[in-house]
Amino acid sequence: MAILEVKGLKKRFDSLEVLKGIDFSLEKGEALALIGVSGSGKTTLLRCLNFLEVPTEGQILVNGQVIFDASNPAMLSEKEIRHNRLHFGMVFQQFNLFPQYTALQNVTLAQELLEKDTAEYKQNKKAVMERIHERGAELLGTVGLSDKLDYYPHQLSGGPPQRVAIARALMLEPDILCFDEPTSALDPELTGEVLKVIRGLADRNTTMVIVTHEMKFARDVSDKVLFMDQGVVVESGSPQEVFENPKEERTRQFLERYFAE
C-alpha cells in the first residue's frame, strides 16, 4: 500500500489554475523529487500537501486513509486540517526559526504544545519535558548540531539554521517529510552540508517529497522524479528514466538547459 496518494489535485487562485489535476503515489521509504522551472506549480503542490493551501479539487490519502477530499466539507474544518497536517513535516526555504528560542527550543516547541493536552503531561510534566528535550537533542545530533543546542538563530549562519529546521520537522515523526528548495537560500559551500543531511535521511529510508533545482542531487537521492510544467505532471518515473531517457520533448529541453549550466 502506498503511504501517500494524490488524486486529481487542483488548485485555483481566483481565475488562475496553478495545479491542473496532479496524480502520483509514493511508497514508504521512497524519496520523490519534484523538478521543473519556477512557476510550474511545485511549491503550490507541496503547500497543498501540508494544508498551507487548501486544494480546490482532489483527494489526498495517507496510508490508504482519505485525509482530504475537496468535495467533503467536513474535511475542510480548521480542526481537521490541523490534525491532518501532522502527517507531513515541512522544511521551508527560509528556515522560519523563532529568533527568541534556542536551537533546541525551536525543535521541541511544537511537541511541547501537543503534549500539554495529554493526561501524562498533567500528571508528570517533568518526565514528559525531559523526554521531549532528550529527543530534540538526539535529532540535533543527527543533523550534526550536538554542540549548538543552546545557540540562538542569530548565532548560527548558513547551513546550521536549515539543519535545525530539518530536526524540527523530524521531531513530530511525520509520515512524509517535505522540503521546499531547502538550499535556495544558501551559497554553494553550505548547500553541500544540507544536501548531505538529506541524503543521510534518504539512506535511512525516510519518506520524502523534495522540491529542488539541484538536478544532480535529485538524480542521485530520489527514487522517483516528477517533472512539472504549467501545473501538470509532464513526465514521471525513476531517476534513470527521467534524467537519462526522457520521453517528452519538454523534459529534454528542461534537462539540457540545466545540465548545460
Side-chain angles (χ1 to χ4, degrees):
M1 179 186 295
I3 192 171
L4 174 64
E5 295 177 84
V6 174
K7 299 181 178 182
L9 208 67
K10 296 184 179 181
K11 177 61 182 177
R12 284 189 297 272
F13 296 96
D14 298 323
S15 62
L16 177 63
E17 191 171 42
V18 179
L19 300 178
K20 303 175 182 178
I22 304 297
D23 298 276
F24 70 88
S25 64
L26 193 61
E27 301 296 321
K28 184 175 177 60
E30 287 185 327
L32 170 68
L34 299 178
I35 64 172
V37 299
S38 298
S40 58
K42 307 183 302 299
T43 293
T44 299
L45 173 57
L46 211 61
R47 289 177 64 84
C48 284
L49 292 180
N50 285 272
F51 301 102
L52 297 172
E53 301 288 353
V54 179
T56 309
E57 295 181 31
Q59 290 184 328
I60 300 172
L61 294 83
V62 175
N63 293 318
Q65 178 184 358
V66 178
I67 67 165
F68 177 81
D69 186 337
S71 65
N72 184 350
M75 289 190 169
L76 300 177
S77 70
E78 184 60 32
K79 180 180 179 181
E80 283 294 315
I81 287 174
R82 281 200 307 269
H83 174 73
N84 290 330
R85 189 176 284 147
L86 295 175
H87 290 289
F88 300 88
M90 183 73 166
V91 180
F92 299 90
Q93 295 181 37
Q94 300 294 336
F95 324 140
N96 290 357
L97 300 181
F98 294 106
Q100 71 272 34
Y101 296 135
T102 65
L104 181 59
Q105 290 170 330
N106 266 282
V107 170
T108 61
L109 179 61
Q111 188 69 57
E112 291 172 14
L113 293 174
L114 286 174
E115 293 284 352
K116 283 185 177 180
D117 292 329
T118 66
E120 183 184 6
Y121 182 90
K122 293 171 183 176
Q123 293 169 2
N124 196 343
K125 175 181 176 181
K126 182 178 179 181
V128 171
M129 293 296 286
E130 286 179 352
R131 185 179 70 240
I132 291 173
H133 289 169
E134 286 175 3
R135 177 60 176 158
E138 178 185 345
L139 287 170
L140 284 168
T142 298
V143 299
L145 295 175
S146 294
D147 59 340
K148 300 289 192 297
L149 304 188
D150 297 323
Y151 280 53
Y152 288 88
H154 76 271
Q155 296 174 304
L156 302 169
S157 61
Q162 189 63 292
R163 286 188 276 158
V164 173
I166 293 171
R168 178 178 60 184
L170 290 168
M171 184 71 194
L172 296 179
E173 299 182 346
D175 293 294
I176 301 113
L177 190 59
C178 300
F179 294 88
D180 184 14
E181 298 185 23
T183 61
S184 65
L186 305 176
D187 63 37
E189 183 177 352
L190 297 170
T191 290
E193 69 180 50
V194 172
L195 294 181
K196 181 179 178 181
V197 170
I198 300 174
R199 186 174 284 108
L201 294 173
D203 290 341
R204 292 193 288 275
N205 296 319
T206 304
T207 309
M208 296 184 288
V209 180
I210 308 166
V211 171
T212 182
H213 287 295
E214 300 283 343
M215 293 300 109
K216 292 180 181 178
F217 171 74
R219 182 177 58 190
D220 293 343
V221 80
S222 64
D223 301 288
K224 291 181 178 179
V225 178
L226 261 63
F227 169 60
M228 294 181 62
D229 189 46
Q230 298 183 19
V232 300
V233 175
V234 175
E235 188 161 352
S236 64
S238 69
Q240 292 75 21
E241 291 169 335
V242 174
F243 286 105
E244 297 176 16
N245 189 30
K247 297 180 176 64
E248 302 296 329
E249 179 61 27
R250 181 68 189 91
T251 312
R252 286 194 288 271
Q253 292 173 353
F254 171 80
L255 293 174
E256 285 173 1
R257 182 166 69 90
Y258 266 92
F259 284 113
E261 293 178 354

